[in-house]
Amino acid sequence: QVQLQESGPGLVKPSQTLSLTCTVSGGSITTSYYAWSWIRQPPGKGLEWMGVISYDGSTYYSPSLKSRTSISRDTSKNQFSLQLSSVTPEDTAVYYCARQRGVNKAMDYWGKGTLVTVSS
């Protein structure tokens, strides 16, 4: 059973960088052909896919967030991370990490999500 757990600060100030880490257990983030993604849901709105890092380290981002988003990984810790720069209150959301069956495939495992509030 694959499990994902998000961690990171729950409060970030405007203009700063939001940083979250997803720790994966029950499976390796380097296993072909899985991909590992970040998704967010602002209060009262729908889910927004932000980007993904593939089993081979390739990254793909949502065009609307590409200029501010970076996804990286630490294979020794079986973790992958999200950095979102220049945040505004509109970036307040529950942030989820998830496993995709491939870069262009659906998610099959999700973390529980973590609320990040952008406020001064």
Side-chain angles (χ1 to χ4, degrees):
Q1 180 81 1
V2 175
Q3 293 183 316
L4 301 95
Q5 178 67 57
E6 304 89 351
S7 60
L11 180 64
V12 181
K13 295 182 187 280
S15 80
Q16 293 187 340
T17 296
L18 179 160
S19 297
L20 295 174
T21 295
C22 183
T23 300
V24 179
S25 59
S28 172
I29 62 173
T30 61
T31 298
S32 305
Y33 294 93
Y34 293 113
W36 306 87
S37 55
W38 289 97
I39 305 101
R40 68 180 182 177
Q41 185 170 30
K45 297 185 179 180
L47 293 169
E48 179 182 24
W49 181 85
M50 301 180 69
V52 66
I53 186 164
S54 181
Y55 70 98
D56 63 358
S58 302
T59 53
Y60 306 88
Y61 301 107
S62 166
S64 65
L65 295 170
K66 185 175 182 178
S67 64
R68 299 195 291 130
T69 306
S70 177
I71 298 176
S72 59
R73 66 179 184 173
D74 185 336
T75 57
S76 67
K77 295 180 180 179
N78 214 36
Q79 295 175 333
F80 62 106
S81 298
L82 169 73
Q83 289 197 314
L84 182 67
S85 63
S86 305
V87 297
T88 72
E90 286 66 43
D91 293 308
T92 294
V94 176
Y95 286 77
Y96 299 92
C97 57
R99 189 182 80 168
Q100 296 182 206
R101 292 187 172 273
V103 170
N104 294 314
K105 304 292 186 182
M107 293 76 168
D108 58 359
Y109 288 98
W110 291 72
K112 293 181 179 180
T114 186
L115 175 64
V116 179
T117 301
V118 179
S119 175
S120 56

